Amino acid sequence: MHILKIITFVLVLIGAINWGLVGAFGIDLVALIFGDMTLLARIVYILVGVSAIIYAITAYRDLSRFD
C-alpha cells in the first residue's frame, strides 16, 4: 500500500504541475512530451486522474483514523 501512495502522489504532483503550467503560461507539458492527444498522452492523463481519486480516498481513510 505504501508504494501505491508514493506512485499516486507523484502522478498527482505531475498533474498539478502540468495544470499550473497550462494556467500560467498556456504550456501543456504532457502534450509537449508525448504529442497532442496521442494514445500515450491520453494514458498519462487517465493515470493522473485515477491517481487523484485513489490519493483522495487513501488520504480520507488516513484522516478518518484520527477521529
Side-chain angles (χ1 to χ4, degrees):
M1 188 63 146
H2 182 68
I3 192 73
L4 179 64
K5 287 183 182 182
I6 292 171
I7 292 169
T8 57
F9 177 76
V10 169
L11 285 171
V12 168
L13 189 62
I14 289 169
I17 290 169
N18 190 56
W19 277 111
L21 288 172
V22 169
F25 306 110
I27 299 171
D28 186 348
L29 195 57
V30 174
L32 282 175
I33 294 172
F34 299 111
D36 191 28
M37 283 317 225
T38 61
L39 178 62
L40 197 52
R42 287 178 186 252
I43 290 170
V44 170
Y45 291 131
I46 291 168
L47 287 175
V48 168
V50 170
S51 293
I53 294 167
I54 293 171
Y55 190 75
I57 291 169
T58 57
Y60 176 75
R61 195 170 43 191
D62 289 346
L63 287 175
S64 64
R65 289 182 187 164
F66 293 114
D67 288 340

